[in-house]
Amino acid sequence: MRDVMTVMWKETQEFFGNRRFLWVFALAVLAMGVLPVLTLAHHSGPLASVTSSLGALFRGLYVLFAAVIVVGNTAPDLVLHERVGHTLDYLLTTRLPDYAIFGAKVLISFAIGYLAAMLALGIQLLATGLIGGAGWHWLILALPLGRVVIFGISAGLSLYVAVVGTFVALRVGEQRAAYLVSILSVGVLLIPFLVGWIHLSLTLPWVSHAAMIFGAVAVFLGLVGLRIFRRDMLVLYLQE
Amino acid sequence: MDGQEAIVFQGLSRRFGTRTAVSDLQFSVAHGSVFGFLGPNGAGKTTTVRMMVGMLRPSQGSIRVLGRDPMSEGEWVRSRLGVMLDNVGLYDRLSAAQNLYFAARIARLGAAERQDRVEAALNRVDLWSRRHDRVSGFSKGMRQKLGLARALIAEPQLLILDEPTAGLDPANIVMVRELLISLAQESGRSIFLCTHLLAEAQRMCDRVAILQEGRLLTIGDPNQLGSHGVPTVRLTLSGGDGMAVGTLALPQGAQLHALGGNEWRATVAADADIEPIVAALVAAKIGVRAVIPEQISLEEEYLRLVGGKDNA
Ligand SMILES: Nc1ncnc2c1ncn2[C@@H]1O[C@H](COP(=O)(O)OP(=O)(O)OP(=O)(O)O)[C@@H](O)[C@H]1O
Ligand SMILES: [Mg+2]
């Protein structure tokens, strides 16, 4: 665990020097915080945005978007950046075990995505409060369903995208290709989820299961990734 | 540990597809020695280094580093190595000090010790005053020096350096040479050094190996590789022509070769044979202006072995 913390320490230090990341993070959080509130208010007047439960869930989706955008950018970037600068080579010469190197990247991307989701939520609540007045703007958190979407699905989804993004970037050398594959793989998992959302209607058990399935798939893929990506093979990928 | 050997190569080979990058290496590197690994571009030096640190699996044969297999006991081996690859691999977004702190954390040093080691390492390579600067603004030579400092942080038993002097100015090359020599003298530390600087290798290495197309061409003391252990002197003569010199009576085993102009090279069986040669020259009324003990340079021998083939 100490090795994982070491790599995570390094990643957080690097974030402060990474302008692109800071921009993506700020824009995603702001956009996903403000946009849904404005569109709802525009369509149905200020009160609708704070009172209807459907509106609350609609805003919940934007919280998920914030997480996916941020993780989808961060996870591949953490790996590709190390490949371009040959620092991945350096990491492989150190005593750090493979799981610490990749595990730390997955955990950091996950944490950053979850943080983005929570910040987007905070901004949404703030914006709703400003537009619709105090009182009902906590609605999304008042619904159990809303809480599962906001806290559960965003966690499961962030972890899933973090795992896919990290391991895809290890195999795909090019930045755009890595983003594309990550986003596509998110799409693949989202399709049954959205189909279920429409057909089964939003019941609490269904949404809870979806959150857990995201998490379980993420953990499974993470373990498979660790088995596939041994350090003595990475050098070959590095030189492609 | 395997007694006196820091590194043992046993029939080590590595292929990439049909290309053989490293072929049947069979030699060892003694503890506490500075070992030079030489060879033209593409000879297989970096590939060998990668196998030594467990980043690449050998196709055939095996390596023992500090007595263990870097593939199956990678963490044990790597925790005792300081490695600097041909691409130094520094974190551009971090400062010089942060790069070293990261290495110190990887080595699991305590907070106080991290502080001390980072300071000492930065001072050793004259980068203390730049410690807060981001590495993205560093010159190539500064990066090399920082990479070297990072390899030293954990005070490793074995330093593996792939062209540490690439991009350094003459003063820094001397600085690195002196640093490496002093490091080698500290408590039995071994250094495995890939380099293209033959004069540097000759100065600081106890032994060198020359590699070409993955094969070992020769291995030995860099000061004796060329002369094959035979002492030689360079003579500058005056008066006397080739004929006169050619008919001199020389001690057993001694030979004189014309190098052109007034220059001659004498090879002798023992150092004591030089005096009789000079005496014979003087007796034949041939002036002797200079007698200089000569070492066939590593460079001459390298070029002879590697040949014009690679324009090395
Ligand atoms: N991952 C790889 N895939 C295919 N071929 C490779 C790979 N790595 C190295 N090679 C080949 O192996 C040979 C040896 O390369 P290596 O990098 O070990 O040479 P080197 O001695 O370090 O050269 P230099 O002095 O230029 O650094 C070269 O022909 C190179 O093309
Ligand atoms: Mg090389």
Side-chain angles (χ1 to χ4, degrees):
Chain A
M1 203 53 212
R2 187 165 168 195
D3 294 330
V4 178
M5 297 299 285
T6 295
V7 180
M8 287 174 73
W9 173 84
K10 190 271 298 175
E11 303 292 356
T12 49
Q13 301 291 308
E14 273 200 294
F15 280 133
F16 298 111
N18 186 349
R19 285 242 181 81
R20 206 186 84 91
F21 162 78
L22 294 174
W23 274 112
V24 168
F25 187 85
L27 282 179
V29 166
L30 266 182
M32 297 306 140
V34 174
L35 278 182
V37 180
L38 289 184
T39 42
L40 268 189
H42 178 72
H43 279 294
S44 349
L47 268 187
S49 70
V50 291
T51 50
S52 91
S53 61
L54 198 70
L57 284 171
F58 172 72
R59 279 164 23 212
L61 269 186
Y62 277 77
V63 170
L64 300 187
F65 288 154
V68 169
I69 292 172
V70 168
V71 183
N73 256 285
T74 308
D77 198 48
L78 288 186
V79 173
L80 292 175
H81 163 68
E82 300 244 23
R83 290 178 60 165
V84 173
H86 300 285
T87 45
L88 192 52
D89 266 359
Y90 162 68
L91 288 179
L92 298 180
T93 67
T94 65
R95 52 164 291 285
L96 290 173
D98 299 6
Y99 73 81
I101 299 174
F102 306 128
K105 289 189 180 296
V106 169
L107 285 180
I108 277 280
S109 311
F110 160 76
I112 294 288
Y114 202 63
L115 179 68
M118 293 306 114
L119 287 178
L121 172 71
I123 291 177
Q124 278 185 15
L125 295 179
L126 210 71
T128 332
L130 286 178
I131 290 175
W136 283 101
H137 58 276
W138 296 101
L139 186 65
I140 188 167
L141 294 180
L143 294 173
L145 198 61
R147 285 202 293 270
V148 174
V149 169
I150 294 286
F151 298 119
I153 298 227
S154 63
L157 200 59
S158 295
L159 189 60
Y160 172 72
V161 183
V163 168
V164 171
T166 302
F167 287 106
V168 163
L170 280 173
R171 192 68 189 84
V172 182
E174 215 227 336
Q175 193 142 12
R176 229 177 298 155
Y179 292 147
L180 206 67
V181 178
S182 316
I183 296 298
L184 275 180
S185 54
V186 173
V188 167
L189 203 70
L190 276 181
I191 287 167
F193 175 66
L194 291 176
V195 169
W197 184 301
I198 291 162
H199 284 281
L200 300 176
S201 76
L202 279 176
T203 62
L204 187 59
W206 157 250
V207 175
S208 314
H209 284 149
M212 283 190 276
I213 288 172
F214 277 131
V217 171
V219 169
F220 172 74
L221 286 181
L223 293 177
V224 170
L226 278 180
R227 282 206 74 84
I228 293 180
F229 288 95
R230 296 193 322 269
R231 74 210 291 142
D232 58 298
M233 290 165 54
L234 278 173
V235 170
L236 300 177
Y237 297 150
L238 291 177
Q239 301 204 334
E240 271 167 14
Chain B
M1 257 182 231
D2 278 6
Q4 295 305 302
E5 313 298 355
I7 312 168
V8 181
F9 298 92
Q10 287 162 329
L12 184 73
S13 303
R14 173 72 209 199
R15 282 182 297 278
F16 294 107
T18 53
R19 174 184 293 276
T20 302
V22 172
S23 175
D24 198 24
L25 290 190
Q26 185 91 34
F27 64 92
S28 56
V29 175
H31 271 300
S33 68
V34 182
F35 189 88
F37 203 45
L38 317 175
N41 295 132
K45 302 182 295 295
T46 299
T47 304
T48 306
V49 165
R50 287 191 160 138
M51 289 190 281
M52 281 161 60
V53 298
M55 287 168 73
L56 198 61
R57 195 174 282 280
S59 305
Q60 243 159 35
S62 67
I63 323 171
R64 307 234 112 203
V65 177
L66 301 171
R68 308 226 187 163
D69 177 4
M71 288 310 306
S72 62
E73 293 178 271
E75 192 174 338
W76 189 95
V77 170
R78 282 187 291 269
S79 66
R80 286 160 180 79
L81 299 183
V83 183
M84 178 174 164
L85 295 177
D86 49 351
N87 290 303
V88 186
L90 296 164
Y91 289 96
D92 276 4
R93 292 167 184 164
L94 302 185
S95 69
Q98 280 174 316
N99 268 283
L100 297 194
Y101 276 117
F102 180 44
R105 278 171 188 262
I106 291 175
R108 298 196 163 183
L109 302 176
E113 213 178 359
R114 284 204 293 268
Q115 190 89 31
D116 293 346
R117 297 268 189 100
V118 168
E119 184 172 343
L122 283 169
N123 276 320
R124 262 189 148 155
V125 295
D126 291 336
L127 284 174
W128 176 247
S129 60
R130 304 292 300 263
R131 64 190 177 281
H132 296 308
D133 293 1
R134 277 231 242 157
V135 171
S136 55
F138 275 22
S139 73
K140 175 136 175 40
M142 289 161 72
R143 285 164 183 271
Q144 293 292 118
K145 292 200 291 180
L146 189 57
L148 192 57
R150 185 173 65 179
L152 300 178
I153 279 282
E155 302 193 339
Q157 283 176 32
L158 171 62
L159 268 175
I160 299 177
L161 309 171
D162 198 349
E163 299 185 33
T165 45
L168 292 184
D169 64 42
N172 275 311
I173 289 177
V174 173
M175 190 273 285
V176 167
R177 182 214 309 154
E178 254 132 50
L179 176 59
L180 293 184
I181 289 174
S182 77
L183 285 170
Q185 282 162 355
E186 289 168 20
S187 62
R189 175 175 294 129
S190 326
I191 302 181
F192 186 93
L193 177 73
C194 301
T195 183
H196 291 297
L197 296 186
L198 300 171
E200 289 302 310
Q202 182 159 16
R203 283 211 188 119
M204 62 186 171
C205 295
D206 304 310
R207 256 153 76 84
V208 297
I210 301 179
L211 198 70
Q212 187 179 28
E213 293 178 353
R215 293 180 181 282
L216 192 67
L217 294 182
T218 187
I219 183 167
D221 181 334
N223 294 314
Q224 299 191 341
L225 268 188
S227 50
H228 304 284
V230 183
T232 58
V233 284
R234 201 178 176 99
L235 302 167
T236 307
L237 309 179
S238 66
D241 48 31
M243 283 290 283
V245 176
T247 56
L248 286 178
L250 297 176
Q252 186 82 33
Q255 282 182 319
L256 278 173
H257 309 275
L259 296 175
N262 291 324
E263 301 288 318
W264 293 77
R265 175 179 287 150
T267 56
V268 290
D271 286 337
D273 291 345
I274 294 165
E275 276 171 50
I277 295 178
V278 174
L281 286 165
V282 172
K285 301 234 171 343
I286 300 169
V288 179
R289 282 203 208 136
V291 180
I292 302 165
E294 191 186 45
Q295 288 176 342
I296 305 265
S297 74
L298 182 58
E299 183 174 281
E300 277 176 71
E301 179 63 6
Y302 176 95
L303 291 176
R304 188 183 71 76
L305 283 170
V306 170
K309 204 169 168 185
D310 291 85
N311 294 323

